[in-house]
Amino acid sequence: MATALTVAFVVLGTGSLFAGVAVGSAEPVAVPTPTPTPTATPEPDPRPVPDELVAAQGIRSCSIDALARDGRLRELSGSVVNADTGEILFDRAADRPVRTASVLKVLTAAAALATLGPDHRLTTRVVDGVEPGTVVLVGGGDATLSRLPPGQESFYRGAPKLADLAAQTVAAYAAAHPDAPAIREVVLDATYWDPADKWDPSWARSEQTIGYQSEVTALQVDADRANPVAGTSPRSTDPVARAGQAFAQALAVAGNAGGTPITSLGSAPDTDTLGVVRSQPVSTLIPQMLLTSDNALGEMLARVVSKNLGLDGSAASLTSAFRIALDEYGVPVTGLTIRDGSGLSHLNAVPPSYVTRLMVRIADGEGSLSHIAQGLPVAGQFGSLSSRFTGANAIARGAVAAKTGWID
């Protein structure tokens, strides 16, 4: 005879299964005669018992730890959280402030929504000059203002046009000065923030010459692109002058009696407004910034946030401005160092854990943050993720929404 015992059990709460076989000897085994035992009355169980059983959960059998240690990633830090439960799934130096690259644009978008609101529009205007025959073109931080003629779309679809502003100006100036309707000079006012504060020393000038970034001036057209319809296009060394020349030419096309006026630099007097154009609302500018990681829009929105908070719009004010603006979302803003609005600077420093907590709120669509969720690139579909996740990774197509960025 032989005896054998087979056992199987499930570890409650994990879904894991254990099975095994124990084999005895080949010799017969004497079976003792059982003796009846009186049934004892069970004592009450003193342990607390939950009203409902907790649902079983499987033991995690996968990890990104080995991949995260790949030497090509250098010193990777990061944070992964289950947005539904708040459970931390991965944490590596997540509270240490580090470079963000263009992921910083998510913070810029959130700061703009908190400070300006989704319906805010950036304004460019023209006012009457003090001297006869003079008007003043006043920049308000709208890099999307386009020099293209009516009927042609720039890189920023739906952007306001200099042609519209020029037509308003010619008509209003002639009505205000019927005896001398010719505009002979355009004063260019880019003093919304300090015009000299236009390029961070931590940025590589190649960003400008290759065509990723313009100098950060409050007055410019087409984000100072040489080609208004191209995403990447070389930028000039004087965006204010380029905008002024384009406006002077637009005045001539609009029928200015003096033809193409000369331009000069100055500031606007407290005089009558002759014309106004406005950008698309912030809720539209944010997707335009995030989908293609547009640096110029990031810088403009950051500076305008600073100005609307009563600060001076300088690069040096951005850490204070962002901490004030982002405090609205209830995520501690200590540890944030903001050098720019685009993420180009290696001096930006943000803890990964902060970005994760902010992204949870974005995923929840809290308040106006839904505009960020709707404006993020999506894997394999559109934006800077449109060509990502192919081959063996194609299962992620359509399932990953993210803000991309790269670091040298």
Side-chain angles (χ1 to χ4, degrees):
M1 295 177 59
T3 62
L5 173 68
T6 301
V7 61
F9 63 90
V10 173
V11 181
L12 294 180
T14 69
S16 299
L17 175 68
F18 173 85
V21 176
V23 179
S25 70
E27 296 298 326
V29 178
V31 179
T33 301
T35 301
T37 302
T39 301
T41 303
E43 295 292 333
D45 191 343
R47 297 174 301 169
V49 178
D51 294 331
E52 296 181 5
L53 291 178
V54 178
Q57 296 181 352
I59 293 177
R60 287 197 178 87
S61 59
C62 61
S63 172
I64 65 169
D65 188 63
L67 291 170
R69 294 181 185 277
D70 190 313
R72 290 170 294 182
L73 297 179
R74 299 293 182 93
E75 296 182 11
L76 174 70
S77 58
S79 170
V80 182
V81 171
N82 183 324
D84 293 328
T85 66
E87 180 186 5
I88 297 174
L89 304 179
F90 177 81
D91 184 307
R92 176 166 294 170
D95 291 328
R96 182 183 68 188
V98 290
R99 287 180 69 179
T100 63
S102 286
V103 170
L104 187 77
K105 293 184 178 74
V106 173
L107 276 67
T108 302
L113 288 167
T115 304
L116 310 176
D119 299 326
H120 184 86
R121 297 172 185 261
L122 309 180
T123 300
T124 307
R125 60 194 176 96
V126 176
V127 300
D128 209 347
V130 175
E131 299 296 327
T134 301
V135 298
V136 185
L137 175 62
V138 186
D142 181 14
T144 72
L145 178 65
S146 182
R147 63 187 186 273
L148 290 179
Q152 294 186 28
E153 288 284 4
S154 70
F155 179 73
Y156 306 110
R157 297 188 64 83
K161 298 290 183 68
L162 274 181
D164 182 19
L165 187 59
Q168 294 179 45
T169 300
V170 168
Y173 189 85
H177 306 281
D179 298 331
I183 300 171
R184 304 193 180 279
E185 181 178 2
V186 177
V187 177
L188 309 175
D189 183 350
T191 61
Y192 188 40
W193 56 80
D194 183 357
D197 185 14
K198 60 185 180 180
W199 192 263
D200 193 282
S202 66
W203 295 345
R205 277 290 176 179
S206 59
E207 300 290 336
Q208 177 186 18
T209 55
I210 293 173
Y212 293 120
Q213 173 66 305
S214 65
E215 292 187 339
V216 189
T217 56
L219 175 61
Q220 55 185 273
V221 291
D222 303 305
D224 198 39
R225 289 173 170 83
N227 181 354
V229 302
T232 303
S233 176
R235 317 299 165 103
S236 77
T237 57
D238 194 346
V240 176
R242 172 176 274 175
Q245 186 59 34
F247 184 62
Q249 293 169 353
L251 288 172
V253 172
N256 176 43
T260 303
I262 62 171
T263 62
S264 62
L265 298 177
S267 56
D270 185 14
T271 53
D272 292 338
T273 297
L274 302 175
V276 175
V277 290
R278 294 178 174 84
S279 73
Q280 298 274 72
V282 165
S283 58
T284 299
L285 297 181
I286 283 175
Q288 289 181 335
M289 172 181 67
L290 295 178
L291 287 176
T292 61
S293 204
D294 190 83
N295 294 314
L297 279 180
E299 296 305 327
M300 294 297 167
L301 288 174
R303 300 298 187 99
V304 174
V305 164
S306 171
K307 289 291 293 186
N308 276 260
L309 287 172
L311 304 175
D312 61 6
S314 66
S317 72
L318 295 184
T319 293
S320 296
F322 275 50
R323 287 182 178 182
I324 295 170
L326 296 173
D327 188 59
E328 174 179 314
Y329 301 114
V331 181
V333 294
T334 54
L336 302 188
T337 299
I338 309 299
R339 183 77 175 217
D340 58 34
S342 62
L344 284 177
S345 176
H346 64 272
L347 300 176
N348 290 306
V350 178
S353 58
Y354 176 84
V355 181
T356 304
R357 294 186 186 107
L358 181 62
M359 289 298 288
V360 168
R361 284 159 173 75
I362 291 170
D364 288 342
E366 290 187 9
S368 58
L369 287 177
S370 59
H371 294 290
I372 299 178
Q374 296 163 6
L376 289 172
V378 175
Q381 293 186 351
F382 50 81
S384 56
L385 283 176
S386 60
S387 62
R388 306 292 183 89
F389 295 96
T390 59
N393 297 316
I395 191 173
R397 293 170 67 88
V400 176
K403 178 68 198 79
T404 59
W406 60 269
I407 292 176
D408 282 334

